[in-house]
Amino acid sequence: MSRLLRPGATVEMAHGGGGLATTRLVREIFARHFANPILAQGHDAARIEAPSGRLVMTTDAHVVSPLEFPGGDIGSLAVHGTINDVAMGGAQPIALSAAFIIEEGFPLETLDRIAQSMGRAARDAGVPIVTGDTKVVERGHGDGVYIATTGIGVVPEGVTIAPENIAPGMAILVSGTLGDHGVAILSRRQGLEFSTTIASDSAALHRMVADMVAAVPDIAVLRDPTRGGLSATLNELAEAAGVTMTLDEAAIPVRPEVAGACELLGLDPMHIANEGKLVCICPADRAQDVLDVMRSHPEGRDAALIGTVGDRAAPGTPGLLRMTTLIGGTRVVDWLAGEPLPRIC
Amino acid sequence: MSRLLRPGATVEMAHGGGGLATTRLVREIFARHFANPILAQGHDAARIEAPSGRLVMTTDAHVVSPLEFPGGDIGSLAVHGTINDVAMGGAQPIALSAAFIIEEGFPLETLDRIAQSMGRAARDAGVPIVTGDTKVVERGHGDGVYIATTGIGVVPEGVTIAPENIAPGMAILVSGTLGDHGVAILSRRQGLEFSTTIASDSAALHRMVADMVAAVPDIAVLRDPTRGGLSATLNELAEAAGVTMTLDEAAIPVRPEVAGACELLGLDPMHIANEGKLVCICPADRAQDVLDVMRSHPEGRDAALIGTVGDRAAPGTPGLLRMTTLIGGTRVVDWLAGEPLPRIC
């Protein structure tokens, strides 16, 4: 039985001091739930036997509120989000690190639950959390817990995923329904009740990506449409590649309950964050192959072809991203200046 | 001229939304100050050509208060701290990532100054910041800015630094004076004035470490005595290796002004955090070689032999770390349960 996890026990400033209290917290919560041979080395710097190849490195600070929501929590979200960022480089993740900034007074029981969920997400994904750090800040200088995760991965030989590869005529695919994560968070935050509970799509996509790049090595680019949603992701890619893009609204998968919630709340699913979806741009004649691979994975079940890359256009040209609407018109899909939902991830 | 850095401008929630405002903030502040070819790729996941070898990975959340202090700021501290953690594995750092959690209302000018200092520290150390993330939290849920940095490095062939290597009779060395960082922070925080300004020792130690492990490959272990100070570091190592250790108080270098401030404040320099110092344990007959290498670097100018590894002892035995005092007695040097100075790094 843990001596730390007494009923009602909370995180104190001493847990961040680097002394005995920190050591106990790390052993009884993080080391227990994250258990793996590399972390067990117990060095500040974890040693990893990396296969040879090009490395990728990615980092994310997670400040989602609330900390727990339908479909996940800040711990599983941090693991999935960082794995996905590594995977979007076409790489296979090999290790994660996690740094915690905890607010004084945070219930140790909640921290334990989040660490457990985080450890489970990492184990399920087959990517160990190899090193970490814990800091504690005074009450009123945090919000429960923030988690910064970093991932490293190895890019297989021959894979060169980059916006520069995008060319006119290519196909634009998404791996599933849009808006689930953002609407799940918002519903929870606002105490909204829908007839169906809307759950976050938070999921690790690296296994699906491994099969996609193995089947179609000439995939141009992969991106996860998180903050800012699909519109921010595609606007950024169109800008970086200097092309126009046209989407077909009727083809974009959105769950009816998410569409309903968006209508109620005056939101556009195109702008809402996703945490278990990817956008793939590939040569048009390989689109069906990519769709087949995605649909063979549970996380790509609802994959769809949603648009086409158009002509070259000078970066900075307004209206690079357009959509053919349900009623047959055309509208520009702009990115929002801000995010309608702060602290979504 | 930056459109962002208008006088009085502050960080708003929209800067964390992932849309256009985030892109502007990242371009005009972080990308400008961190400029390097890998970051310029502009992918979420940075690609790094890693030399072959074993990798190390380390992470730190930085929550130091105040954000700016004599001898550095949270930005340079984050770079130095993470480089040092990589170096303590005997590795040479090859890349850093940085995740920012910024409080709404934080002056953009201060953020710019910190990012500039961070970029300079990374350039001076020759270790690029290759990827990053920016989140914004509401007023009252942060404290200006927190920075989580992660470092990766490569361990040279033949280097196997680990506490298990520690053996009876080995020498215990430190690379310089103790307590400078902690006392610099505390003085600033409490508005104390001393006749001499006490500056943080914040510095990157990887170049000195490279020369040390090249000269003496059988160095047993390297550690940076940060939070919890030298006493926490040596207690942890004694515990991990299952040995006793004896220090010679007269040999431990402490600046007179730091000793004076500690006396005034009732603190023990053994418990105070350092940010540019290392502890090295090596075979006794190589101690002079290691000292010579350290002293040939400005950051090891005051290096000293401070003690000896004693007999084997079961882990958990109380009093593993002892000190011969100035007056010839012996006392146990325990680690503190907490940290006398919260948010020191």
Side-chain angles (χ1 to χ4, degrees), chain B residues 181-203:
Chain B
H181 176 73
V183 170
I185 295 288
L186 191 68
S187 317
R188 178 69 205 275
R189 204 183 284 168
Q190 313 249 329
L192 296 177
E193 297 268 341
F194 299 105
S195 55
T196 316
T197 299
I198 298 170
S200 167
D201 57 346
S202 179

Side-chain angles (χ1 to χ4, degrees), chain A residues 13-23 27 41-50 52-63 85-86 88-90 94-101 103 130-138 140-143 146-152 155 159-164 223-224 226-228 232 236 239 335-339 342-343 345, chain B residues 13-23 27 41-50 52-63 85-86 88-90 94-101 103 130-138 140-143 146-152 155 159-164 223-224 226-228 232 236 239 335-339 342-343 345:
Chain A
M13 290 305 293
H15 287 121
L20 215 46
T22 305
T23 303
R27 277 190 200 153
Q41 294 167 353
H43 304 301
D44 268 356
R47 295 201 189 148
I48 305 155
E49 295 298 330
S52 68
R54 290 164 305 159
L55 286 179
V56 300
M57 181 178 198
T58 180
T59 195
D60 279 296
H62 297 274
V63 299
D85 277 346
V86 169
M88 296 310 120
I94 57 173
L96 299 174
S97 68
F100 296 84
I101 299 173
E103 188 182 12
V130 299
T131 188
D133 187 37
T134 308
K135 294 284 156 62
V136 180
V137 293
E138 302 87 347
H141 288 308
D143 196 7
Y146 301 141
I147 307 178
T149 39
T150 301
I152 57 175
V155 187
V159 173
T160 54
I161 286 175
E164 305 84 81
R223 279 290 164 94
D224 51 340
T226 55
R227 280 185 297 178
E236 211 180 303
E239 177 85 23
W335 45 11
L336 292 181
E339 157 72 43
R343 301 189 50 194
C345 61
Chain B
M13 290 306 292
H15 287 123
L20 215 47
T22 305
T23 303
R27 276 190 200 152
Q41 294 166 354
H43 305 301
D44 267 358
R47 296 201 188 148
I48 304 155
E49 295 298 330
S52 68
R54 290 164 306 160
L55 286 179
V56 300
M57 181 177 197
T58 180
T59 195
D60 280 296
H62 297 274
V63 299
D85 277 347
V86 169
M88 295 310 120
I94 57 173
L96 299 174
S97 68
F100 296 84
I101 298 173
E103 188 183 11
V130 299
T131 188
D133 187 37
T134 308
K135 294 283 157 65
V136 179
V137 293
E138 302 87 348
H141 288 308
D143 195 7
Y146 300 141
I147 307 178
T149 39
T150 301
I152 57 174
V155 188
V159 174
T160 54
I161 286 176
E164 303 85 79
R223 279 288 167 95
D224 52 339
T226 55
R227 279 185 297 179
E236 211 180 303
E239 177 86 23
W335 46 10
L336 293 181
E339 157 72 45
R343 300 190 48 195
C345 60

